[in-house]
Amino acid sequence: MSLPTERAFPGPAIPLARWADRQIKAMAATHVSAAISVLDGATLMGERSAGYRINGRISAGLGGSHLMPTRDGGWFALTLIRDVDRELLPALFGNADIEALDWDTIAAAVLQHDCADLVATGRALGLPVASADEKPASPPVEMMLRGEWRERPAGHRPLVIDMSAIWAGPLAGHLLWQAGMTVVKVESRSRPDLIRRDDPATFERINQGKASLLVDFASDTEKAALIALIRRADVVIESSRPRALRHLGIDAELLVREVPGLVWLSVTGHGASGDAANWVGIGNDCGVAGGLSRAMADVSGEIGYVGDAIADPLTGIIAAREGLDAYRSGLAQRIGLSMSAVTAMALAEERAHDRAAIDAELRAWGTATGCPFPPQVRPRVLQAQVRPVGADTTRYLGEFARC
């Protein structure tokens, strides 16, 4: 697909950046964090997008997500960034011969189906899909479980176990690190975080200062050592579907019930409980599911993706805020966060705050296909070392593995 000739970006900042900035400033004030107070919403939402262009119905960057018209006049978002997802396309379309590498062929197949049918089938298959006209299936923040209170000694430095991947969860962990917590990033030996390979600059920004652990989840010894470490932690961040978490041998509810004060943040595409907990969601399609593409179309006449995987940074900020609040309470809690519902919440709150401003930003974004992303407001440099992959495994798990 050819893009129009480059021209100056006609609009203001990335839509919802002002909302994100208000959340950051409120978090910094509540928890008295100088490091968080110097951050801003525009930077956290746009620092990954240097060199990106606004691609309309194709997501920014590598273009792994496309927004396509359906037979009934709907708009269907499909994200394909894993080989296993392309292998599921014949089942999605009921066509064993579909060319899974050709987006034009995929778009033609989408046009032969109704949007709701594609979304239902795609989610049953485990594909990251969305409709521009759906409503969030879950609340943005869901209190799933409360446990016992824990008294912490003066000067205690909280320990965070970050088992999440890509952007939203790791950004939450990064903000907790900025707030003074010790953060340990856990990756699977067989399936390390994709963003480490695909976007090393972003990986470094949101994982700087974190210890790095590699765990073989096929090893009962290593899994037991990780669970023992979790029992000593204050906060856990994960972004797995319930079935995947159980497959890893980790029982979040049991741990929250048994470990006083443990805060467990479950970052999901569409919800942490019920049917929605099993739906796959990634930042771009979750932004569509949260209503941003439809909102942009309503004011600009053009439908497309808003921002860069916009649901990820929005949710990362909210997850950090919820994590800090829960830790401060001293109560063990399991909290679910839905990326699509957080996006919908941010849009609704921004409309209530300044409807004219958010409409103007969306209108400008909708008419800016082919333009570069807005320049980063405040470029960030690394403040701490990025640990080599697995460098701290023995340090953190060795004691437990010997038991």
Side-chain angles (χ1 to χ4, degrees), residues 135-153:
K135 302 296 182 185
S138 304
V141 179
E142 181 180 4
M143 178 58 65
M144 302 174 68
L145 179 68
R146 284 189 174 91
E148 295 183 18
W149 181 76
R150 175 183 174 186
E151 182 176 4
R152 294 180 172 93

Side-chain angles (χ1 to χ4, degrees), residues 83-156:
D83 290 341
V84 66
D85 292 335
R86 292 186 182 274
E87 293 169 2
L88 293 171
L89 293 184
L92 175 65
F93 298 118
N95 179 0
D97 298 322
I98 189 166
E99 176 49 66
L101 297 177
D102 181 32
W103 275 109
D104 289 338
T105 300
I106 294 169
V110 168
L111 199 52
Q112 302 302 311
H113 296 268
D114 290 345
C115 192
D117 292 341
L118 286 174
V119 170
T121 302
R123 285 177 174 162
L125 290 170
L127 285 165
V129 298
S131 164
D133 295 298
E134 65 180 286
K135 302 296 182 185
S138 304
V141 179
E142 181 180 4
M143 178 58 65
M144 302 174 68
L145 179 68
R146 284 189 174 91
E148 295 183 18
W149 181 76
R150 175 183 174 186
E151 182 176 4
R152 294 180 172 93
H156 173 75

